[in-house]
């Protein structure tokens, strides 16, 4: 059932996907015990069957799948101690059934016999307003170059302009592996185009490194950006981290940021919001028994917004929380040949 989508949810239901992931991750963890595994490992293979090699890093804490064909994006981040895939979400894509929802008013009563496929029922008014679609595949460890004018609403509705080509470039990493640590280094000189009218473009060198140590629940991330063009450039750089924690409005799953008082509504994972001049944002899942912390070396602006899909079920169309997209955003100017380094740590802690 988790692989199917008809009128009964299937792939759209996060709880069904979670049970599959939970059992697979538990099996991986039990295999570690049988094999008495006590070191990190790296596998390079076409894990997602897209014709390009992926890099799978595994330690006692994490299973991490990197996709070099998407700029080194993390497509899976599983926390082994809790058998939880933290990136269990799906993108919003157009469905044929959405056209029926757009073109029909809510129909709660209908005379005569009708096929369940023909009746248009919804669980809430105005559901068609939530038909948003993602124009790229979300994930973690994804880099964006935004315009100065991009707003929180642009981000939440997927209307922001992307001026960089890094997230869709193929970048083969340098992999350094020992028994205690695995480090991946990605390097790419790409184009940042800030003007759509005169096609003004800047060559920007981006290096990004990530390291995982055996026995540690920290992932250390470093960014290095250098302006290799002949003119200065104003950069608005964002690092994306998308997580799927099953419940968007449960009281035991929430956002926090030190020194920031969030209301009960704003703490919900389903919330949309902005936190400026911050160095930490966390997502706590008391039910799952863990806490995700994003710590940055330099203050940034954290944007957050939910991914909510609209799918049909036996009770009608419904809106489902799939996950939360988080952008850490920095703004700065780089003169020709000037560079800037940014650091962050992603930490996952167990809770009792």
């Amino acid at each position: 059932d988790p692989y199917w989508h008809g009128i009964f949810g299937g792939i759209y239901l996060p709880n069904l996907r979670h049970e599959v992931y939970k059992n697979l991750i538990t099996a991986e963890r039990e295999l570690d015990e049988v094999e008495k595994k006590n070191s990190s490992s790296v596998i390079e293979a076409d894990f997602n069957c897209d014709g390009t090699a992926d890099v799978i890093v595994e330690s006692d804490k994490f299973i991490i799948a990197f996709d070099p064909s998407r700029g080194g994006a993390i497509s899976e981040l599983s926390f082994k101690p809790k058998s939880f895939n933290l990136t269990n979400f799906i993108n919003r894509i157009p469905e044929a059934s959405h056209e029926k929802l757009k073109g029909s008013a809510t129909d709660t009563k209908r005379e005569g016999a009708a096929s369940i496929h023909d009746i248009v029922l919804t669980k809430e008014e105005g559901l068609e307003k939530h038909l948003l679609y993602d124009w790229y595949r979300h994930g973690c460890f994804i880099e964006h170059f935004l315009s100065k004018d991009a707003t929180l609403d642009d981000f939440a509705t997927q209307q922001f302009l992307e001026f960089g080509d890094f997230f869709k470039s193929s970048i083969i990493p340098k992999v350094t592996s020992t028994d205690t640590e695995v480090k991946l280094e990605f390097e790419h000189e790409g184009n940042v185009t800030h003007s759509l009218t005169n096609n003004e473009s800047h060559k920007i060198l981006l290096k990004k490194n990530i390291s995982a140590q055996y026995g540690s629940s920290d992932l250390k991330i470093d960014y290095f950006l250098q302006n290799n063009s002949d003119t200065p450039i104003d950069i608005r750089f964002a690092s994306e981290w998308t997580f799927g924690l099953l419940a968007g409005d449960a009281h035991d799953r929430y956002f926090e940021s030190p020194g920031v008082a969030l209301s009960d509504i704003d703490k919900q994972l389903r919330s949309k919001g902005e936190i400026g001049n911050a160095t930490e944002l966390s997502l706590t899942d008391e039910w799952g028994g863990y806490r995700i912390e994003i710590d940055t070396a330099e203050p940034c602006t954290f944007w957050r917004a939910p991914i909510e899909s609209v799918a049909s079920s036996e009770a009608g169309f419904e809106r489902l929380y799939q996950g939360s997209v988080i952008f850490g955003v920095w703004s700065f100017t780089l003169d020709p040949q000037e560079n800037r380094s940014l650091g962050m740590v992603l930490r996952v802690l167990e809770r009792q």
Side-chain angles (χ1 to χ4, degrees):
D1 193 46
Y3 297 95
W4 183 252
H5 169 52
I7 56 173
F8 301 108
I11 191 70
Y12 276 95
L13 298 179
N15 58 308
L16 298 186
R17 300 196 307 268
H18 169 70
E19 288 302 320
V20 176
Y21 280 123
K22 178 181 178 182
N23 281 277
L24 290 171
I25 299 167
T26 299
E28 292 275 1
R29 196 177 65 203
E30 293 183 356
L31 280 172
D32 289 349
E33 296 175 2
V34 171
E35 296 172 351
K36 294 181 171 49
K37 187 175 179 180
N38 57 6
S39 62
S40 301
S41 63
V42 180
I43 299 173
E44 296 187 40
D46 188 4
F47 182 69
N48 58 11
C49 301
D50 68 349
T52 61
D54 305 289
V55 180
I56 314 300
V57 175
E58 189 169 353
S59 69
D60 58 327
K61 303 293 186 182
F62 297 111
I63 301 170
I64 314 171
F66 295 89
D67 189 347
S69 69
R70 295 195 296 129
I74 293 175
S75 56
E76 179 185 341
L77 178 59
S78 291
F79 187 51
K80 291 171 72 175
K82 296 298 182 179
S83 295
F84 210 111
N85 180 357
L86 306 177
T87 50
N88 173 17
F89 64 88
I90 61 174
N91 268 22
R92 295 160 292 192
I93 64 171
E95 295 271 11
S97 59
H98 291 170
E99 296 305 314
K100 185 186 299 185
L101 179 61
K102 293 176 185 177
S104 302
T106 301
D107 186 358
T108 56
K109 293 183 180 180
R110 180 179 293 240
E111 294 182 0
S115 166
I116 192 172
H117 298 282
D118 296 325
I119 299 175
V120 180
L121 303 173
T122 65
K123 290 188 175 182
E124 62 179 285
E125 294 286 345
L127 199 55
E128 68 280 357
K129 298 177 183 178
H130 296 279
L131 289 174
L132 302 175
Y133 303 119
D134 298 297
W135 53 269
Y136 71 94
R137 185 180 173 191
H138 290 292
C140 295
F141 202 39
I142 298 176
E143 294 70 46
H144 300 276
F145 289 83
L146 311 174
S147 74
K148 288 183 177 180
D149 300 328
T151 65
L152 174 66
D153 285 339
D154 295 334
F155 157 72
T157 58
Q158 290 288 284
Q159 298 298 312
F160 66 90
L161 295 177
E162 174 63 62
F163 290 124
D165 59 5
F166 297 87
F167 74 105
K168 58 184 179 181
S169 299
S170 180
I171 310 175
I172 306 302
K174 175 186 175 183
V175 181
T176 305
S177 178
T178 67
D179 287 347
T180 58
E181 183 180 33
V182 176
K183 183 176 183 180
L184 274 69
E185 301 173 76
F186 297 85
E187 180 175 334
H188 179 68
E189 185 182 62
N191 295 301
V192 175
T193 305
H194 268 170
S195 174
L196 300 180
T197 55
N198 59 16
N199 203 31
E200 179 186 356
S201 182
H202 293 77
K203 288 289 185 182
I204 300 295
L205 174 66
L206 171 65
K207 298 180 181 179
K208 64 174 190 176
N209 306 328
I210 185 168
S211 59
Q213 291 188 333
Y214 194 86
S216 173
S217 59
D218 289 8
L219 297 177
K220 186 175 182 296
I221 297 107
D222 292 299
Y223 287 115
F224 174 89
L225 298 96
Q226 180 169 298
N227 181 6
N228 284 348
S229 67
D230 297 328
T231 56
I233 181 173
D234 291 328
I235 287 180
R236 200 176 188 196
F237 176 75
S239 178
E240 174 178 340
W241 299 83
T242 301
F243 302 107
L245 308 188
L246 303 184
D249 48 12
H251 72 279
D252 56 356
R253 270 156 274 199
Y254 46 85
F255 285 108
E256 287 182 303
S257 184
V260 179
L262 296 175
S263 68
D264 289 343
I265 296 297
D266 288 334
K267 289 176 67 173
Q268 292 181 352
L269 298 185
R270 194 189 290 271
S271 68
K272 177 186 74 174
E274 175 180 283
I275 300 175
N277 196 34
T279 58
E280 182 181 325
L281 181 68
S282 65
L283 301 85
T284 296
D285 183 348
E286 294 180 359
W287 176 80
Y290 61 85
R291 172 187 174 94
I292 304 170
E293 295 180 355
I294 303 173
D295 294 340
T296 63
E298 293 188 30
C300 69
T301 296
F302 283 114
W303 284 348
R304 68 186 188 280
I307 298 176
E308 295 179 308
S309 62
V310 176
S312 59
S313 70
E314 69 276 18
F317 284 95
E318 60 184 346
R319 180 161 49 114
L320 294 170
Y321 170 79
Q322 298 293 343
S324 298
V325 185
I326 298 166
F327 275 19
V329 184
W330 293 265
S331 298
F332 50 89
T333 299
L334 289 180
D335 290 325
Q337 303 307 310
E338 186 180 6
N339 59 63
R340 182 73 174 266
S341 295
L342 300 167
M344 60 193 305
V345 174
L346 179 79
R347 179 178 299 112
V348 186
L349 302 174
E350 293 186 67
R351 290 173 55 93
Q352 300 301 322

